[in-house]
């Protein structure tokens, strides 16, 4: 009678790691965002210098000096101030997303710690957008009282709250563009990108003039209408601009900005995931 050898027990297969719950991912997202905001507080002096230097000189020269010399009217200062505030929120949101992204992926490699956290990769990218948007919003809000004092302009408090809401949208759109630039532009070309992109963004964003006032310069009006910053400037100006200046309707500005945010967020997250997998 043959004896059957007992079967060798197979090694137990490792259990699959349980998926991270949505609430846990949200908690991690909030913790990472809180850490970034804490670091901003420790770098407050440098951040405020970044926020104030450029817009203060724009308001000083274009609003105060030219006004005192008689080259600019009171209506121009009321057109200029909301545009410069919108510019500050948008550009600070863009810069504070794009530049850290380049550094994280190339020099500091800090992004590796974020990718190891219990949070989905798209949420890591989204946190970058939210953080850049918060810094952009702060940059726009702190400029409001300074600009009003410098140019002797007053806005009702109820309107100021609406302006803050518009600035929040504009800062997030700028941060979404920053994520796209920071992930798609090679590290060695980032300085060239800022030179080539930032200057046209500043001077075609309707910050010093209303978009609808360019009817006699149709070619330049078309160029400005392709700049997302234009709709942040126009949305802000539609709330606090002088009554005689026609602006793009607020609902249309917000609709365009929402579309731009979605498009560039999707592009930026895809670029981020591709860089993260390299």
């Amino acid at each position: 009678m043959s004896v059957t050898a007992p079967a060798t027990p197979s090694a137990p297969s490792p259990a699959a790691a349980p998926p991270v719950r949505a609430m846990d991912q949200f908690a991690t997202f909030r913790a990472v965002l809180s850490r970034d905001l804490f670091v901003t507080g420790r770098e407050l002096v440098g951040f405020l210098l970044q926020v104030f230097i450029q817009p203060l000189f724009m308001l000083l020269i274009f609003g105060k000096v030219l006004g005192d010399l008689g080259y600019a009217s009171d209506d121009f200062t009321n057109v200029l101030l909301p545009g410069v505030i919108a510019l500050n929120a948008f550009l600070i949101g863009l810069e504070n997303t794009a530049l850290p992204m380049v550094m994280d992926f190339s020099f500091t490699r800090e992004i590796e710690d974020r990718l190891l956290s219990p949070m989905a990769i798209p949420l890591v990218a989204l946190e970058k957008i939210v953080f850049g948007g918060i810094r952009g919003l702060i940059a726009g809000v702190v400029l409001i009282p300074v600009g009003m004092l410098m140019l002797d302009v007053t806005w009702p408090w109820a309107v100021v709250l609406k302006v803050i809401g518009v600035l929040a949208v504009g800062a997030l759109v700028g941060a979404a563009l920053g994520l796209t630039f920071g992930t798609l532009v090679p590290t060695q070309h980032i300085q060239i990108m800022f030179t080539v992109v930032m200057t046209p963004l500043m001077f075609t964003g309707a910050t010093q003039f209303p978009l609808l006032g360019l009817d006699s310069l149709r070619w330049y009006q078309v160029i400005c209408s392709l700049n997302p910053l234009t709709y942040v400037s126009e949305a802000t100006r539609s709330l606090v601009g002088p009554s005689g200046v026609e602006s793009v309707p607020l609902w249309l500005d917000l609709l365009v900005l929402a579309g731009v945010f979605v498009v560039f967020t999707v592009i930026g997250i895809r670029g981020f995931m591709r860089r993260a997998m390299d």
Side-chain angles (χ1 to χ4, degrees):
M1 184 177 62
S2 60
V3 179
T4 305
T8 305
S10 58
S13 58
V20 181
R21 294 185 308 166
M23 292 301 296
D24 293 337
Q25 294 203 40
F26 176 74
T28 304
F29 180 94
R30 187 174 55 186
V32 172
L33 181 60
S34 299
R35 176 188 177 278
D36 287 340
L37 293 175
F38 176 77
V39 172
T40 297
R42 297 186 62 178
E43 301 172 348
L44 187 60
V45 175
F47 175 63
L48 291 178
L49 289 176
Q50 180 190 20
V51 165
F52 279 117
I53 294 298
Q54 178 177 286
L56 281 183
F57 273 93
M58 290 184 67
L59 293 176
L60 176 65
I61 300 302
F62 292 106
K64 188 66 176 175
V65 174
L66 294 183
D68 290 347
L69 293 177
Y71 293 110
S73 64
D74 291 338
D75 281 347
F76 177 69
T77 59
N78 286 305
V79 168
L80 178 68
L81 180 57
V84 172
I85 291 173
L87 170 70
N88 211 36
F90 184 89
L91 288 188
I92 294 297
L94 192 156
E95 292 175 358
N96 283 262
T97 308
L99 287 178
M101 188 68 58
V102 172
M103 295 180 62
D104 287 350
F105 274 115
S106 57
F107 304 116
T108 64
R109 305 299 301 177
E110 183 180 342
I111 199 66
E112 294 177 355
D113 295 336
R114 308 294 179 91
L115 296 176
L116 293 174
S117 63
M119 182 167 57
I121 294 179
L123 282 181
V124 179
L126 187 61
E127 189 273 337
K128 292 290 186 180
I129 293 178
V130 174
F131 175 60
I134 291 175
R135 289 181 70 126
L137 176 60
I138 294 173
V141 170
V142 298
L143 193 62
I144 293 176
V146 177
M148 293 173 66
L149 182 64
M150 179 180 294
L151 301 182
D152 194 22
V153 174
T154 56
W155 297 340
W157 277 109
V159 177
V160 172
L161 295 178
K162 295 179 181 179
V163 169
I164 293 174
V166 169
L167 294 179
V169 175
L172 286 173
V173 173
L177 266 70
L179 180 70
T180 300
F181 294 151
T183 54
L184 297 185
V185 178
T187 303
Q188 64 272 22
H189 296 155
I190 193 66
Q191 292 296 336
I192 300 176
M193 184 278 293
F194 272 99
T195 302
V196 172
V197 173
M198 299 296 280
T199 301
L201 276 176
M202 291 174 58
F203 290 100
T204 62
T207 55
Q208 300 94 3
F209 48 81
L211 178 67
L212 299 182
L214 296 174
D215 290 338
S216 59
L217 294 172
R218 182 68 67 179
W219 63 272
Y220 192 60
Q221 188 180 54
V222 171
I223 293 174
C224 293
S225 66
L226 299 177
N227 186 346
L229 174 58
T230 294
Y231 300 95
V232 187
S233 302
E234 287 291 294
T236 310
R237 194 174 289 122
S238 69
L239 295 171
V240 295
S243 57
V245 176
E246 186 179 4
S247 301
V248 177
L250 179 61
W251 68 268
L252 182 57
D253 294 321
L254 296 178
L255 182 62
V256 172
L257 291 173
V260 172
F261 176 76
V262 171
V263 169
F264 279 94
T265 297
V266 171
I267 295 174
I269 289 177
R270 288 183 176 179
F272 183 90
M273 294 183 69
R274 186 176 62 253
R275 293 286 297 271
M277 297 301 181
D278 289 344

